[in-house]
Amino acid sequence: MPADLSPIDKAKFAAARRAVDLIEDGMRVGMGTGSTAAWMVRCLGERVRQEGLRLQGVPTSTRTADLARQVGIDVVSLDEAKWLDITIDGADEFDRELNLIKGGGGALLQEKIVATASDQMVVITDASKEVNHLGAFPLPVEVIPFGWQTSRALIEELLESMDVLGRQTTLRLNGSQPYVTDEGNYIVDLHLNRIGNARQIALVLNQIPGVVENGLFIDICDMVIIGGSDGKVEIRDINDGSIANEKVDFAEDDNIFHDME
């Protein structure tokens, strides 16, 4: 592994490398969005090239689709795949029940659709993303552009009755303009600091007119793989309650790093 990678990138790579070992020939695979998921796509592409692994990849954003094609993965739509064997994605936060906050990369809508259309969702991450209570990372809420300020006001009104520590909301920007998702929507980030009842907020936010989806992934994740900068990984399976510790071996001449040069 190149020495100039940061400890966080080394941890992300370790988790990604271990996660792609779960992929078997002929699988239909959901591919997440973000820096950690990008490591997974590169590792998966390496298996496709080296082993002739056959699979169909369903991306959760145009960024992921572009990268997947670059590394040789057969990209199809969710409608073409219909149902997925597994989805591998990152997360902005996760708790001990493997509930998540996602959407820091702006792809929460497609990510949630793809994850729930899968037999198994696996999250790859590093230890810094684990929290006792969700909410330190701003909760993304995707809203349609029409009347977005009204939707935001309704969200702020709702938060007055919710068990949260903070209630500030901000429109996500791309420079001086609103950030626009692949679906042409805006994102309002909720700075809640601590969420007392994530399940409740996930349900009620989606009842607000103009809200398309929120970044709380409740009872969706089946397994989390936590990577370390030394190649060690911890694998937690919420379904059987198991925790396993393993070591991922990687060398500086791994093809994945040559592809990045």
Side-chain angles (χ1 to χ4, degrees):
M1 172 179 287
D4 57 351
L5 283 183
S6 70
I8 291 295
D9 278 333
K10 291 178 180 178
K12 291 177 179 179
F13 171 70
R17 172 57 66 83
R18 178 59 182 86
V20 299
D21 288 343
L22 300 170
I23 308 301
E24 299 176 2
D25 196 59
M27 277 190 169
R28 293 160 294 181
V29 182
M31 302 179 296
T33 294
S35 60
T36 309
W39 282 111
M40 178 273 300
V41 174
R42 295 187 186 102
C43 290
L44 192 54
E46 182 184 34
R47 287 197 61 193
V48 168
R49 295 190 302 274
Q50 290 189 348
E51 304 172 25
L53 186 70
R54 297 169 302 164
L55 60 91
Q56 290 183 320
V58 175
T60 54
S61 67
T62 54
R63 301 193 301 281
T64 297
D66 290 344
L67 177 59
R69 292 189 182 99
Q70 289 172 18
V71 299
I73 296 173
D74 180 23
V75 173
V76 300
S77 69
L78 181 58
D79 288 335
E80 290 174 297
K82 295 185 173 59
W83 193 260
L84 306 178
D85 298 287
I86 189 172
T87 287
I88 303 176
D89 202 351
D92 298 303
E93 282 187 348
F94 70 96
D95 65 16
R96 67 190 66 184
E97 284 80 36
L98 304 194
N99 294 315
L100 320 170
I101 285 182
K102 288 181 51 57
L108 64 105
L109 177 57
Q110 289 191 30
E111 287 175 336
K112 188 174 283 190
I113 293 171
V114 168
T116 54
S118 306
D119 288 336
Q120 183 181 34
M121 183 196 184
V122 177
V123 162
I124 49 177
T125 185
D126 62 88
S128 69
K129 303 298 177 62
E130 183 172 12
V131 295
N132 291 324
H133 299 280
L134 298 176
F137 190 90
L139 173 63
V141 178
E142 188 161 339
V143 300
I144 66 170
F146 176 81
W148 74 266
Q149 294 189 62
T150 298
S151 299
R152 177 181 176 178
L154 291 170
I155 291 170
E156 291 174 343
E157 182 179 345
L158 170 70
L159 292 178
E160 293 296 327
S161 61
M162 294 291 103
D163 182 12
V164 294
L165 289 183
R167 294 180 174 83
Q168 180 187 3
T169 69
T170 55
L171 178 69
R172 188 177 299 185
L173 299 177
N174 181 13
S176 61
Q177 299 299 313
Y179 175 90
V180 179
T181 69
D182 279 356
E183 291 73 36
N185 297 320
Y186 295 168
I187 290 180
V188 175
D189 289 311
L190 314 187
H191 304 266
L192 306 179
N193 299 324
R194 181 185 182 277
I195 299 173
N197 189 334
R199 188 181 308 276
Q200 180 189 36
I201 291 183
L203 289 172
V204 297
L205 278 172
N206 284 7
Q207 304 305 311
I208 293 176
V211 169
V212 180
E213 190 52 84
N214 68 82
L216 284 166
F217 284 50
I218 308 298
D219 298 332
I220 295 176
C221 177
D222 297 284
M223 179 186 295
V224 62
I225 300 178
I226 307 166
S229 60
D230 57 356
K232 293 180 180 179
V233 295
E234 180 179 298
I235 305 168
R236 302 182 195 174
D237 191 319
I238 195 69
N239 297 309
D240 62 17
S242 65
I243 300 177
N245 292 282
E246 301 179 9
K247 180 71 179 292
V248 173
D249 293 323
F250 35 66
E252 188 164 344
D253 60 353
D254 275 341
N255 288 336
I256 183 175
F257 300 111
H258 294 298
D259 295 340
M260 295 170 62
E261 293 175 354

